[in-house]
Amino acid sequence: MAAPKKAAASTAQDKTNGGSPPEFTKEQELKALRDMLLIRRFEEKAGQLYGMGAIGGFCHLYIGQEAVVVGMQMALKQGDQVITGYRDHGHMLATGMEANGVMAELTGRRGGYSKGKGGSMHMFSKEKHFYGGHGIVGAQVSLGTGLAFANHYRGNDNVSVTYFGDGAANQGQVYESFNMAELWKLPVIYVIENNRYAMGTAVSRASAQQDFSKRGASFNIPGLQVDGMDVRAVKAAGDEAAAWCRSGKGPMILEMQTYRYRGHSMSDPAKYRTREEVEKVRHDQDPIEQVRNRLLAAKVSEADLKAIDAGVRDIVNAAADFAQHDPEPDAAELWTDVYR
């Protein structure tokens, strides 16, 4: 069984990294652009509200990493589950959760997805099969493996997509999960969002093995390195991994090589890297600009692209307005949804 796995992984890697990724149709490009713009404009607005004091606590923005979750969602089907860590607003929006509900939760209002009691790291949507952002580093990996076990037990062909970062990849529970997932052939895609700096330490200083696609090697789990700044490459890798999992072959690891433009959280000045480095990634690799440039080359007008952005801004501005004027939870809510 080991030899076919290596061959399959090698084939997938050739398709996603060895050459140009499969081209998108114009409709796919437009959808990817709109979905990534929604995440970016939402996160920019969340950053503004945090600066104004309307959002308290922690706030981890997804700006720069939009292609990862948007490309993966394009590879999934209804019923597949998503679970992630605390940099989670983009994942929520990509799964179809409403901007109003997400922003209202950030500001602690009744209309939030957790009724204003959870905040940035504690939102769920059973309807959208989103099983949360999780504040404990690496905790979602065990839970995402459990979601895959539930699918295996029920005999359906759903896949659990479990996201975590390069920092969380060094947690012990990650490897316990890898072992069980491969042992029981669980349908889970482990997506490692390698944004290079974890909470503020470069991968080169924190990880002995910097090729995260190889982290499952001792468990016979195949892995791929993917250009996480190109939504087409992400979707191609997602298609490969989903097909692998649905066929009963067990888990797969996708290392998404991506980059966050902001600090680890809003309170992080990110002095561990240079401004020039960030600007170079923005100029050369920005996931939204890549799609925008391809659409312009395909004769989509600048006016049409601006209209998409304007529509997204309207959604985000309405969400911000709702989130600042929706009432706060009643004091009685302290006692709801509490079990002992």
Side-chain angles (χ1 to χ4, degrees), residues 94-117:
T95 58
M97 293 169 67
E98 295 293 331
N100 278 15
V102 177
M103 195 71 86
E105 189 59 40
L106 295 180
T107 58
R109 305 304 174 112
R110 290 183 190 178
Y113 270 97
S114 296
K115 302 178 183 177
K117 300 187 293 182

mmCIF file of all heavy atoms in Angstrom, residues 94-117:
data_model
loop_
_atom_site.group_PDB
_atom_site.id
_atom_site.type_symbol
_atom_site.label_atom_id
_atom_site.label_comp_id
_atom_site.label_asym_id
_atom_site.label_seq_id
_atom_site.Cartn_x
_atom_site.Cartn_y
_atom_site.Cartn_z
ATOM 1 N N ALA A 94 -15.847 31.965 4.025
ATOM 2 C CA ALA A 94 -15.706 31.064 2.881
ATOM 3 C C ALA A 94 -16.707 29.924 2.925
ATOM 4 O O ALA A 94 -17.140 29.432 1.874
ATOM 5 C CB ALA A 94 -14.286 30.506 2.815
ATOM 6 N N THR A 95 -17.098 29.487 4.114
ATOM 7 C CA THR A 95 -18.084 28.417 4.216
ATOM 8 C C THR A 95 -19.512 28.924 4.046
ATOM 9 O O THR A 95 -20.450 28.125 4.035
ATOM 10 C CB THR A 95 -17.981 27.685 5.569
ATOM 11 O OG1 THR A 95 -18.167 28.610 6.641
ATOM 12 C CG2 THR A 95 -16.638 26.993 5.710
ATOM 13 N N GLY A 96 -19.680 30.225 3.914
ATOM 14 C CA GLY A 96 -21.010 30.784 3.666
ATOM 15 C C GLY A 96 -21.677 31.410 4.868
ATOM 16 O O GLY A 96 -22.838 31.819 4.784
ATOM 17 N N MET A 97 -20.966 31.517 5.983
ATOM 18 C CA MET A 97 -21.530 32.204 7.140
ATOM 19 C C MET A 97 -21.677 33.692 6.832
ATOM 20 O O MET A 97 -20.885 34.267 6.097
ATOM 21 C CB MET A 97 -20.655 31.961 8.372
ATOM 22 C CG MET A 97 -20.669 30.513 8.827
ATOM 23 S SD MET A 97 -19.417 30.096 10.085
ATOM 24 C CE MET A 97 -19.978 31.034 11.498
ATOM 25 N N GLU A 98 -22.728 34.308 7.379
ATOM 26 C CA GLU A 98 -23.066 35.684 7.034
ATOM 27 C C GLU A 98 -22.105 36.675 7.694
ATOM 28 O O GLU A 98 -21.759 36.538 8.869
ATOM 29 C CB GLU A 98 -24.499 36.000 7.472
ATOM 30 C CG GLU A 98 -25.562 35.192 6.734
ATOM 31 C CD GLU A 98 -25.651 35.565 5.266
ATOM 32 O OE1 GLU A 98 -25.355 36.733 4.924
ATOM 33 O OE2 GLU A 98 -26.029 34.701 4.448
ATOM 34 N N ALA A 99 -21.721 37.702 6.920
ATOM 35 C CA ALA A 99 -20.821 38.725 7.441
ATOM 36 C C ALA A 99 -21.419 39.433 8.650
ATOM 37 O O ALA A 99 -20.702 39.765 9.601
ATOM 38 C CB ALA A 99 -20.487 39.731 6.338
ATOM 39 N N ASN A 100 -22.736 39.660 8.638
ATOM 40 C CA ASN A 100 -23.385 40.329 9.775
ATOM 41 C C ASN A 100 -23.169 39.552 11.067
ATOM 42 O O ASN A 100 -22.805 40.109 12.107
ATOM 43 C CB ASN A 100 -24.893 40.469 9.531
ATOM 44 C CG ASN A 100 -25.236 41.661 8.672
ATOM 45 O OD1 ASN A 100 -24.376 42.240 8.018
ATOM 46 N ND2 ASN A 100 -26.499 42.035 8.664
ATOM 47 N N GLY A 101 -23.389 38.250 11.016
ATOM 48 C CA GLY A 101 -23.281 37.425 12.210
ATOM 49 C C GLY A 101 -21.859 37.309 12.715
ATOM 50 O O GLY A 101 -21.617 37.289 13.928
ATOM 51 N N VAL A 102 -20.909 37.237 11.786
ATOM 52 C CA VAL A 102 -19.501 37.129 12.191
ATOM 53 C C VAL A 102 -19.042 38.442 12.826
ATOM 54 O O VAL A 102 -18.441 38.460 13.907
ATOM 55 C CB VAL A 102 -18.605 36.758 10.996
ATOM 56 C CG1 VAL A 102 -17.135 36.714 11.429
ATOM 57 C CG2 VAL A 102 -19.020 35.414 10.403
ATOM 58 N N MET A 103 -19.343 39.564 12.177
ATOM 59 C CA MET A 103 -18.904 40.859 12.706
ATOM 60 C C MET A 103 -19.592 41.168 14.029
ATOM 61 O O MET A 103 -18.973 41.715 14.960
ATOM 62 C CB MET A 103 -19.162 41.971 11.698
ATOM 63 C CG MET A 103 -18.435 43.268 12.003
ATOM 64 S SD MET A 103 -16.638 43.153 11.717
ATOM 65 C CE MET A 103 -16.562 43.535 9.962
ATOM 66 N N ALA A 104 -20.884 40.807 14.151
ATOM 67 C CA ALA A 104 -21.599 41.056 15.398
ATOM 68 C C ALA A 104 -21.020 40.241 16.547
ATOM 69 O O ALA A 104 -21.015 40.696 17.699
ATOM 70 C CB ALA A 104 -23.087 40.743 15.230
ATOM 71 N N GLU A 105 -20.521 39.060 16.241
ATOM 72 C CA GLU A 105 -19.878 38.274 17.297
ATOM 73 C C GLU A 105 -18.569 38.930 17.731
ATOM 74 O O GLU A 105 -18.234 38.931 18.917
ATOM 75 C CB GLU A 105 -19.627 36.840 16.816
ATOM 76 C CG GLU A 105 -19.156 35.907 17.905
ATOM 77 C CD GLU A 105 -20.146 35.794 19.048
ATOM 78 O OE1 GLU A 105 -21.367 35.741 18.814
ATOM 79 O OE2 GLU A 105 -19.679 35.758 20.200
ATOM 80 N N LEU A 106 -17.839 39.493 16.775
ATOM 81 C CA LEU A 106 -16.590 40.175 17.113
ATOM 82 C C LEU A 106 -16.836 41.352 18.049
ATOM 83 O O LEU A 106 -16.007 41.643 18.926
ATOM 84 C CB LEU A 106 -15.888 40.668 15.842
ATOM 85 C CG LEU A 106 -15.381 39.604 14.867
ATOM 86 C CD1 LEU A 106 -14.703 40.258 13.670
ATOM 87 C CD2 LEU A 106 -14.419 38.652 15.545
ATOM 88 N N THR A 107 -17.973 42.015 17.890
ATOM 89 C CA THR A 107 -18.272 43.176 18.735
ATOM 90 C C THR A 107 -19.123 42.798 19.947
ATOM 91 O O THR A 107 -19.515 43.677 20.718
ATOM 92 C CB THR A 107 -19.011 44.265 17.924
ATOM 93 O OG1 THR A 107 -20.218 43.713 17.369
ATOM 94 C CG2 THR A 107 -18.129 44.807 16.814
ATOM 95 N N GLY A 108 -19.408 41.513 20.117
ATOM 96 C CA GLY A 108 -20.121 41.057 21.304
ATOM 97 C C GLY A 108 -21.595 41.417 21.316
ATOM 98 O O GLY A 108 -22.131 41.829 22.350
ATOM 99 N N ARG A 109 -22.277 41.228 20.196
ATOM 100 C CA ARG A 109 -23.693 41.607 20.086
ATOM 101 C C ARG A 109 -24.599 40.386 19.958
ATOM 102 O O ARG A 109 -24.165 39.291 19.610
ATOM 103 C CB ARG A 109 -23.885 42.526 18.876
ATOM 104 C CG ARG A 109 -22.991 43.768 18.886
ATOM 105 C CD ARG A 109 -23.149 44.610 20.144
ATOM 106 N NE ARG A 109 -22.204 45.698 20.217
ATOM 107 C CZ ARG A 109 -22.539 46.996 20.131
ATOM 108 N NH1 ARG A 109 -23.824 47.332 19.990
ATOM 109 N NH2 ARG A 109 -21.619 47.921 20.210
ATOM 110 N N ARG A 110 -25.874 40.605 20.220
ATOM 111 C CA ARG A 110 -26.865 39.516 20.224
ATOM 112 C C ARG A 110 -26.923 38.764 18.906
ATOM 113 O O ARG A 110 -27.157 37.561 18.861
ATOM 114 C CB ARG A 110 -28.261 40.065 20.524
ATOM 115 C CG ARG A 110 -28.488 40.543 21.927
ATOM 116 C CD ARG A 110 -29.932 40.990 22.094
ATOM 117 N NE ARG A 110 -30.150 41.680 23.346
ATOM 118 C CZ ARG A 110 -31.317 42.205 23.713
ATOM 119 N NH1 ARG A 110 -32.365 42.138 22.888
ATOM 120 N NH2 ARG A 110 -31.438 42.818 24.874
ATOM 121 N N GLY A 111 -26.745 39.510 17.808
ATOM 122 C CA GLY A 111 -26.867 38.897 16.495
ATOM 123 C C GLY A 111 -25.659 38.100 16.066
ATOM 124 O O GLY A 111 -25.618 37.595 14.942
ATOM 125 N N GLY A 112 -24.658 37.963 16.935
ATOM 126 C CA GLY A 112 -23.472 37.196 16.606
ATOM 127 C C GLY A 112 -23.752 35.710 16.589
ATOM 128 O O GLY A 112 -24.736 35.235 17.171
ATOM 129 N N TYR A 113 -22.882 34.968 15.955
ATOM 130 C CA TYR A 113 -23.086 33.525 15.804
ATOM 131 C C TYR A 113 -23.080 32.776 17.136
ATOM 132 O O TYR A 113 -23.649 31.693 17.242
ATOM 133 C CB TYR A 113 -22.036 32.933 14.858
ATOM 134 C CG TYR A 113 -22.498 32.944 13.419
ATOM 135 C CD1 TYR A 113 -22.113 33.960 12.559
ATOM 136 C CD2 TYR A 113 -23.343 31.958 12.927
ATOM 137 C CE1 TYR A 113 -22.550 33.995 11.236
ATOM 138 C CE2 TYR A 113 -23.792 31.977 11.620
ATOM 139 C CZ TYR A 113 -23.391 32.990 10.774
ATOM 140 O OH TYR A 113 -23.845 33.016 9.474
ATOM 141 N N SER A 114 -22.445 33.345 18.153
ATOM 142 C CA SER A 114 -22.493 32.752 19.489
ATOM 143 C C SER A 114 -23.216 33.681 20.454
ATOM 144 O O SER A 114 -22.931 33.718 21.648
ATOM 145 C CB SER A 114 -21.077 32.445 19.994
ATOM 146 O OG SER A 114 -20.463 31.474 19.178
ATOM 147 N N LYS A 115 -24.158 34.474 19.901
ATOM 148 C CA LYS A 115 -24.997 35.394 20.683
ATOM 149 C C LYS A 115 -24.185 36.438 21.433
ATOM 150 O O LYS A 115 -24.589 36.934 22.471
ATOM 151 C CB LYS A 115 -25.895 34.616 21.657
ATOM 152 C CG LYS A 115 -26.800 33.606 20.971
ATOM 153 C CD LYS A 115 -27.635 32.842 21.981
ATOM 154 C CE LYS A 115 -28.486 31.789 21.288
ATOM 155 N NZ LYS A 115 -29.270 30.984 22.265
ATOM 156 N N GLY A 116 -22.993 36.740 20.885
ATOM 157 C CA GLY A 116 -22.169 37.774 21.499
ATOM 158 C C GLY A 116 -21.354 37.298 22.674
ATOM 159 O O GLY A 116 -20.712 38.112 23.348
ATOM 160 N N LYS A 117 -21.324 36.004 22.921
ATOM 161 C CA LYS A 117 -20.639 35.477 24.109
ATOM 162 C C LYS A 117 -19.333 34.773 23.790
ATOM 163 O O LYS A 117 -18.611 34.370 24.697
ATOM 164 C CB LYS A 117 -21.563 34.496 24.848
ATOM 165 C CG LYS A 117 -22.868 35.126 25.329
ATOM 166 C CD LYS A 117 -23.657 34.178 26.192
ATOM 167 C CE LYS A 117 -24.159 32.986 25.416
ATOM 168 N NZ LYS A 117 -24.975 32.084 26.261
#
